[in-house]
Amino acid sequence: MATLLIAEHDNTNLSDLTARALTAACAMQAPVTLLVAGSNCKAVAEQAARLDGVEKVLVADAPHLAQQAAEPMGALIAELARDFQAVLAVASSTGKSVLPRAAALLDVMQVSEVTRIESPDTFVRPIYAGNAIETIQSSDPIKVITVRSSAFEPAGQGDASAPITAVAVPDDMALSAFERQELAQTDRPDLGSARIVISGGRAFGSKETFDRFLEPIAAKLGAAIGASRAAVDSGYAGNELQVGQTGKVVAPDLYIACGISGAIQHLAGMKDSRYIVAINKDADAPIFQVADYGLVGDLFEILPELESKL
Ligand code: FAD
């Protein structure tokens, strides 16, 4: 029995996160079939077929799948899943919305935010905002799993192309309708997959200051910008930039935390980064407990100096 991996995409481009989830899917010790569900998503299927480790690509193409809403996606996945040992998706907004519905339709328990696959039925995941790590064994006939993409290296891409097959799409149940989408426009790399993230906290005091001090350094480093919840709640940064338990979980090569105290809910979203640099004027700030390099000082002096050195 193969593993079904749900591709993360925007109907045009396959997200890098899919290659990471594929590494997790391959650890399930069974051939991997990738499902590309969307509308006019042929180009995505072709990109998906070139990923190393994909045995087959299924394409479900229908107008009502364009936004990958939970209702039609859940029905589609539940229908297909009966031929698979497991269904995997990235623990993204889409995966978190779609997979619980599929799991409920299949009457199985979802295992969420998996960071390691021990065996086809045993998974490791953080609980209590990352304060404890749970190993969980599932006896469900079909495992339904979301994976933390940051915990897995991306699978490679080759010239070989896996076969692409169209699948029948269940009729639109019209349980939900798409209203509108508001996307933040940015030239910065995507926060979830950036190699470098520079984040700011409450210390910046205003949106203008947040942007003025962080933007030039992010541009020089080719980094994504992140924020603590205090910075987001104060209006210095958009919601989509929040890192932490209720924001995004990131694990870049380099995470620079500026004026962030290191509350446990923030650490839950970044403590697995390869190198952590913290800039804080309080030498006792908890962020220094996870930092590889700590700079104790005023960020309004340190950041311009850092920028000029870069
Ligand atoms: P503060 O804790 O106020 O820290 C500001 C820091 O800046 C201090 O350490 C201070 O020493 C330093 N500083 C001040 N001025 C300067 C200066 N000039 N130079 C250098 N350093 C300076 N938080 C998140 O970030 N992400 C989440 O997802 C999240 N989810 C949450 C979920 C729940 C259920 C709850 C209860 C809380 C959550 N929080 C989350 C909030 C979290 O508890 C903290 O309140 C928040 O992270 C604090 O943000 P901060 O570090 O920017 O602010």
Side-chain angles (χ1 to χ4, degrees):
M1 292 268 272
T3 298
L4 182 67
L5 173 63
I6 315 301
E8 184 86 15
H9 66 93
D10 62 1
N11 292 315
T12 309
N13 291 309
L14 183 69
S15 159
D16 298 345
L17 304 182
T18 302
R20 291 177 179 270
L22 176 57
T23 301
C26 290
M28 295 290 289
Q29 301 168 17
V32 178
T33 298
L34 218 127
L35 172 66
V36 176
S39 178
N40 289 322
C41 52
K42 188 166 166 264
V44 180
E46 284 162 4
Q47 295 160 42
R50 287 197 296 275
L51 287 175
D52 291 340
V54 172
E55 205 194 58
K56 207 192 285 181
V57 176
L58 302 181
V59 187
D61 202 320
H64 65 276
L65 291 176
Q67 279 74 37
Q68 297 165 53
E71 293 82 0
M73 285 289 287
L76 169 71
I77 294 166
E79 186 66 33
L80 295 171
R82 299 185 199 281
D83 297 331
F84 290 89
Q85 61 152 1
V87 180
L88 264 83
V90 177
S92 61
S93 312
T94 307
K96 286 180 187 174
S97 140
V98 165
L99 244 59
R101 196 169 181 97
L105 291 169
L106 292 165
D107 197 19
V108 299
M109 178 191 73
Q110 174 171 303
V111 186
S112 304
E113 308 253 352
V114 165
T115 53
R116 198 167 70 240
I117 293 183
E118 297 270 327
S119 74
D121 68 358
T122 308
F123 315 102
V124 175
R125 60 185 291 267
I127 52 172
Y128 303 126
N131 280 317
I133 304 295
E134 172 181 70
T135 301
I136 170 173
Q137 188 171 35
S138 165
S139 56
D140 277 326
I142 302 170
K143 320 293 181 226
V144 174
I145 302 161
T146 62
V147 296
R148 271 205 187 164
S149 52
S150 58
F152 299 91
E153 291 298 321
Q157 224 181 17
D159 294 331
S161 190
I164 301 174
T165 314
V167 292
V169 178
D171 289 341
D172 184 7
M173 295 169 288
L175 288 174
S176 59
F178 176 68
E179 283 273 325
R180 67 178 187 284
Q181 176 167 263
E182 287 173 26
L183 287 178
Q185 296 298 328
T186 173
D187 299 333
R188 301 262 81 83
D190 173 55
L191 180 57
S193 53
R195 277 188 53 249
I196 305 177
V197 173
I198 181 162
S199 285
R202 198 198 306 270
F204 284 86
S206 72
K207 174 167 173 42
E208 190 272 326
T209 317
F210 187 93
D211 292 343
R212 183 155 51 88
F213 280 85
L214 291 183
E215 286 278 354
I217 300 178
K220 284 193 173 165
L221 289 172
I225 291 185
S228 71
R229 178 156 150 186
V232 170
D233 288 350
S234 307
Y236 311 164
N239 273 308
E240 71 283 1
L241 299 190
Q242 184 176 316
V243 172
Q245 184 188 337
T246 42
K248 289 198 172 121
V249 177
V250 300
D253 289 342
L254 175 62
Y255 187 90
I256 309 174
C258 312
I260 293 178
S261 58
I264 190 163
Q265 296 90 356
H266 187 80
L267 301 186
M270 45 64 75
K271 68 176 166 37
D272 292 330
S273 305
R274 190 163 294 167
Y275 291 103
I276 297 173
V277 174
I279 304 172
N280 198 301
K281 67 178 184 186
D282 173 9
D284 294 326
I287 191 78
F288 288 125
Q289 288 168 19
V290 297
D292 298 285
Y293 298 92
L295 284 165
V296 179
D298 187 338
L299 62 86
F300 298 114
E301 290 167 13
I302 292 172
L303 288 181
E305 197 181 333
L306 176 63
E307 188 204 339
S308 69
K309 294 226 158 85
L310 287 168

